[in-house]
Amino acid sequence: MSQSQTEQGATPVVRAIDLHKSFGPVHVLRGVSLEVRAGEVLCVMGPSGSGKSTFLRCINQLERVDGGELWVRDELVGHKLRDGKLYELREREIARQRRGIGMVFQRFNLFPHMTAVGNVVEGPLRALGRNRSDAYAAARRLLDRVGLSDKYDAYPGQLSGGQQQRVAIARALAMEPYLMLFDEPTSALDPELVGEVLDVMKALAGDGMTMIVVTHEVGFAREVGDTLVFMDEGIVVESGPPRDVVGAPQHPRTKEFLSRVLG
């Protein structure tokens, strides 16, 4: 393998080429093309219905792509190319592709009957076949990492929204992902709880985690993001360094949106 191939970020972790997705007559993604390289943080902004969450769900194969190409780590998502023809992957192969991708949703989606540590160990025990004692030790370390060392045995109903979201982040990290997807992770939180979740995400970025973050948190995007993409009506309207896009947006739609978000 050549030196250029081994350099970090030489090959995109995620590469979308003219991506299309429809739900019935609604064309949600209309030719999205973008790249994310190893260790980068891509922040995605846009109004409701612009296709941001659908794009994330396509990466994690919660939705099937209708057109274009979506590559994750040099693998074509959901399909394989053989003898010049595309074949849909079987569920087992899809699960293998999905395993290295962590996803954190708006709603925390924790198992209410399990403690914080129980939620975190579920994936490694069932999907990865980890040794029970090792899985629990790793889960406790992850809860420590997200600032919940005193909440191992708490149930979701005993935790604040911010604490539940941090458990959800620890649960995603327990699968040892190379890519983390965040779908507006602070939108369901009370304003005073937003900071504790963003702090965890900032620490992850500082550790070199590759991240795609759908968010309206302009300050986070400006401070942590490597690239800011603005989407509207299923297309990428504008992209660039976050400080440039926020400070001097070029497209009228981006200007309008940011003026509303920033007040």
Side-chain angles (χ1 to χ4, degrees), residues 160-216:
S160 71
Q163 290 169 335
Q164 290 185 63
Q165 193 62 295
R166 285 186 279 157
V167 173
I169 293 172
R171 178 181 59 184
L173 292 173
M175 296 297 288
E176 301 175 6
Y178 55 81
L179 170 66
M180 285 285 287
L181 309 176
F182 293 88
D183 188 5
E184 300 197 37
T186 60
S187 65
L189 301 179
D190 291 334
E192 65 268 23
L193 302 178
V194 168
E196 63 191 47
V197 173
L198 293 181
D199 285 344
V200 171
M201 294 168 62
K202 289 174 186 177
L204 282 179
D207 290 341
M209 176 62 74
T210 308
M211 297 161 57
I212 302 178
V213 184
V214 171
T215 183
H216 287 165

Side-chain angles (χ1 to χ4, degrees), residues 61-262:
Q61 300 193 60
L62 298 174
E63 302 290 351
R64 294 280 179 98
V65 172
D66 294 330
E69 296 178 8
L70 182 57
W71 296 81
V72 175
R73 270 193 165 183
D74 274 343
E75 282 194 281
L76 190 59
V77 168
H79 295 82
K80 60 183 173 183
L81 187 63
R82 188 171 63 228
D83 299 327
K85 294 183 179 180
L86 281 178
Y87 296 88
E88 286 194 1
L89 295 181
R90 297 176 179 177
E91 285 302 320
R92 174 192 277 184
E93 295 170 307
I94 289 173
R96 177 190 58 78
Q97 284 191 339
R98 186 185 287 145
R99 192 167 294 157
I101 302 172
M103 189 159 182
V104 178
F105 300 87
Q106 297 177 37
R107 298 291 174 178
F108 324 120
N109 295 342
L110 300 177
F111 295 114
H113 62 289
M114 292 183 178
T115 63
V117 74
N119 270 278
V120 176
V121 300
E122 183 72 3
L125 289 176
R126 289 184 177 272
L128 302 181
R130 293 285 189 261
N131 171 277
R132 190 172 182 83
S133 61
D134 290 345
Y136 271 88
R140 292 186 183 97
R141 287 195 297 271
L142 285 169
L143 288 170
D144 293 348
R145 184 177 177 183
V146 299
L148 294 173
S149 56
D150 59 338
K151 300 295 183 182
Y152 296 159
D153 299 319
Y155 289 89
Q158 299 171 315
L159 300 173
S160 71
Q163 290 169 335
Q164 290 185 63
Q165 193 62 295
R166 285 186 279 157
V167 173
I169 293 172
R171 178 181 59 184
L173 292 173
M175 296 297 288
E176 301 175 6
Y178 55 81
L179 170 66
M180 285 285 287
L181 309 176
F182 293 88
D183 188 5
E184 300 197 37
T186 60
S187 65
L189 301 179
D190 291 334
E192 65 268 23
L193 302 178
V194 168
E196 63 191 47
V197 173
L198 293 181
D199 285 344
V200 171
M201 294 168 62
K202 289 174 186 177
L204 282 179
D207 290 341
M209 176 62 74
T210 308
M211 297 161 57
I212 302 178
V213 184
V214 171
T215 183
H216 287 165
E217 300 292 339
V218 176
F220 173 86
R222 195 162 36 199
E223 179 182 349
V224 180
D226 294 291
T227 303
L228 174 59
V229 165
F230 177 73
M231 290 182 63
D232 189 31
E233 297 184 352
I235 63 173
V236 174
V237 172
E238 186 169 350
S239 66
R243 291 182 182 276
D244 293 348
V245 175
V246 174
Q250 300 300 302
H251 195 281
R253 188 68 186 89
T254 315
K255 293 178 182 178
E256 179 188 5
F257 177 82
L258 287 172
S259 69
R260 291 178 178 177
V261 170
L262 295 172

Side-chain angles (χ1 to χ4, degrees), residues 2-18:
S2 69
Q3 181 179 354
S4 62
Q5 287 176 304
T6 59
E7 288 175 357
Q8 184 186 38
T11 301
V13 175
V14 177
R15 180 160 49 107
I17 305 170
D18 194 28

